[in-house]
Amino acid sequence: MDIDIKAAVHAVEAPAVMELFPARPRVLALGEPTHGEDALLELRNELFRQLVEQEGYRTIAIESDCLMGLAVDDYVTSGTGTLDEVMEGGFSHGFGASAANRELVRWMREYNEKRPAGERIRFAGFDGPLEITGAASPRQALSALHSYLASHVEADLLPCTADTLDRLLGADDTWTEPDAMMDPTRSAGRSAEARELRLLADDLVALLDMGAPHLIATTSRERWDRARLYGRTATGLLRYHFWMADTSPDRMARLLGLRDAMMAENLIALAERGPVLAFAHNSHLQRNKSTMRMWDHPLLEWWSAGALVSAQLGEEYGFLATLLGTMRHQGVDVPPPDTVEGLLYALRDDRCLIDASELASALGSVKVAPRASSYFAYAPMDPANPAANDGFVFLRDVPQT
């Protein structure tokens, strides 16, 4: 293909990233096309360090359990626990085993050690307590929310006692039944107890919101914000479990959408306290509708967290998708020359930043082909609308680690 895209290509550096936007985005998201490759995370670490040090970003949020991530945040901000402990217990999806994630946490702690509280960077998971095979019990989130309120509001304002919650929650393995994802009849999400818990959770969150002036004054904004996280997570989990028990054809698409809606709520809440750097799979952060083929289902479609945040924040949301050339240890070889990845691979830069609008201009009316991949865990770029992104980060070769 005789297309010159060199004008769209820049160095992967913080100043070049900022040139893509009219002003600093309140949420700047970097996506990855596959999980489990530390070379992609090392590139993330390098770019995020620059954006923290040069552009004032103060929260790094990744696609991991939002409740587990609290332990990592406590470690990087105040040194609570040890690095080994938070890597083992502070991440979901197996991400704590990543050497690059470990290096990120180590650097964040080192960065914060000699800085006052107002200048420290924060860590957050922004995923719900969810795995592709199921969802956690709402016990931790509901109990923590109830405990916070019970300590700071009059007892007769509470919609229930802790004992009532405990009775309705029952055994945790009822909620985490491994067969429920494939068989909705095994889900506890539509039991009488689960329905009552949804109402109680809603009342507890309403009480948290109604009492905000008193609660913030008597505890702190930080503790109230954490209680809000418990409330979002409790209501989100109970909603997710309810729809796990659905038997309609739209069940899986709805569950994917609910997960990303929880992610979006967490990102919006994090952005209230300052600018956020977010990292997750491209499919969770893109502005276009996300799609997936799963098991024997037809093509599933849903709005990603990035699309939802973008709808609310407008130009204050920025998104860079990461593209790759080869990942030979997973069978991903040199991209065909008629794909976007192939055009970038031919430039021979080890890494580069691409301005999406300049790329779209260079392509003009030329239709580039979508890249095919035999590796199920890698999602190549959809070339239909490159300008739906703000930019791309390209890594030419992903080595085996």
Side-chain angles (χ1 to χ4, degrees):
M1 297 180 73
D2 187 19
I3 300 174
D4 185 1
I5 62 171
K6 292 180 181 177
V9 176
H10 309 276
V12 185
E13 297 174 347
V17 169
M18 290 298 104
E19 286 292 322
L20 301 176
F21 305 101
R24 181 183 69 181
R26 192 158 23 135
V27 176
L28 176 54
L30 175 65
E32 61 175 350
T34 186
H35 287 321
E37 299 295 333
D38 268 9
L40 297 172
L41 306 189
E42 288 162 3
L43 180 58
R44 172 207 65 188
N45 289 356
E46 183 179 332
L47 183 57
F48 278 11
R49 285 187 195 119
Q50 293 181 31
L51 290 164
V52 166
E53 293 168 349
Q54 300 174 31
E55 302 298 335
Y57 281 91
R58 286 293 174 265
T59 296
I60 294 177
I62 75 166
E63 181 189 341
S64 185
D65 185 322
C66 57
L67 299 186
M68 296 176 76
L70 295 173
V72 185
D73 186 51
D74 288 342
Y75 173 76
V76 300
T77 55
S78 61
T80 302
T82 68
L83 181 56
D84 286 343
E85 288 170 347
V86 299
M87 295 312 299
E88 182 177 352
F91 292 84
S92 59
H93 313 327
F95 293 158
S98 160
N101 280 336
R102 184 183 184 89
E103 175 56 23
L104 175 68
V105 174
R106 186 207 62 75
W107 171 77
M108 292 178 72
R109 177 61 195 142
E110 181 182 81
Y111 181 92
N112 285 337
E113 275 186 317
K114 296 182 180 179
R115 284 177 166 81
E119 296 179 13
R120 293 174 190 158
I121 47 175
R122 306 288 299 273
F123 178 91
F126 69 92
D127 200 355
L130 307 169
E131 296 282 355
I132 196 67
T133 54
S137 164
R139 179 183 304 280
Q140 179 185 359
L142 262 180
S143 299
L145 173 60
H146 187 279
S147 177
Y148 174 80
L149 289 167
S151 298
H152 302 291
V153 302
E154 296 177 11
D156 57 0
L157 293 176
L158 293 167
C160 65
T161 65
D163 287 343
T164 297
L165 279 185
D166 190 58
R167 175 179 59 79
L168 292 171
L169 285 162
D172 285 346
D173 58 9
T174 302
W175 298 96
T176 57
E177 164 60 51
D179 294 332
M181 180 53 75
M182 300 297 292
D183 180 359
T185 65
R186 302 296 297 272
S187 170
R190 298 195 177 184
S191 67
E193 293 83 359
R195 292 173 186 272
E196 187 172 352
L197 284 168
R198 290 188 77 184
L199 294 174
L200 292 174
D202 184 68
D203 283 341
L204 289 168
V205 171
L207 184 58
L208 182 69
D209 291 338
M210 291 187 299
H214 165 71
L215 292 168
I216 292 171
T218 54
T219 61
S220 67
R221 177 61 189 243
E222 177 75 18
R223 291 187 63 194
W224 183 75
D225 278 341
R226 186 165 288 199
R228 289 175 69 207
L229 171 61
Y230 291 134
R232 290 193 304 275
T233 306
T235 55
L237 278 173
L238 286 163
R239 187 181 303 118
Y240 192 91
H241 279 290
F242 179 85
W243 287 104
M244 279 188 72
D246 182 38
T247 58
S248 77
D250 295 329
R251 174 178 180 262
M252 283 308 307
R254 188 185 295 271
L255 291 176
L256 291 167
L258 287 173
R259 179 188 177 192
D260 273 70
M262 291 177 71
M263 289 184 174
E265 287 185 340
N266 285 333
L267 285 174
I268 292 291
L270 291 169
E272 291 176 3
R273 72 185 187 197
V276 177
L277 296 169
F279 183 78
H281 196 279
N282 288 332
S283 63
H284 291 305
L285 298 174
Q286 63 191 33
R287 290 187 178 91
N288 297 335
K289 259 192 170 180
S290 296
T291 60
M292 176 187 292
R293 293 195 183 276
M294 180 181 292
W295 303 315
D296 59 346
H297 292 275
L299 185 69
L300 302 170
E301 295 184 325
W302 75 100
W303 289 110
S304 75
L308 298 173
V309 174
S310 181
Q312 294 191 53
L313 296 187
E315 289 187 348
E316 291 190 290
Y317 178 74
F319 172 52
L320 308 175
T322 298
L323 313 179
L324 60 85
T326 71
M327 190 165 53
R328 290 184 172 89
H329 58 285
Q330 300 292 5
V332 180
D333 213 329
V334 174
D338 60 346
T339 63
V340 168
E341 292 93 340
L343 292 171
L344 293 168
Y345 195 84
L347 296 177
R348 307 196 67 81
D349 292 328
D350 289 338
R351 59 178 64 179
C352 57
L353 173 73
I354 304 95
D355 184 317
S357 61
E358 291 178 352
L359 175 64
S361 295
L363 293 175
S365 60
V366 176
K367 298 295 184 182
V368 291
R371 184 183 189 183
S373 172
S374 59
Y375 178 43
F376 74 96
Y378 162 56
M381 173 192 172
D382 179 359
N385 185 17
N389 308 288
D390 297 295
F392 303 94
V393 174
F394 179 70
L395 186 61
R396 192 168 193 268
D397 299 294
V398 178
Q400 185 171 11
T401 55

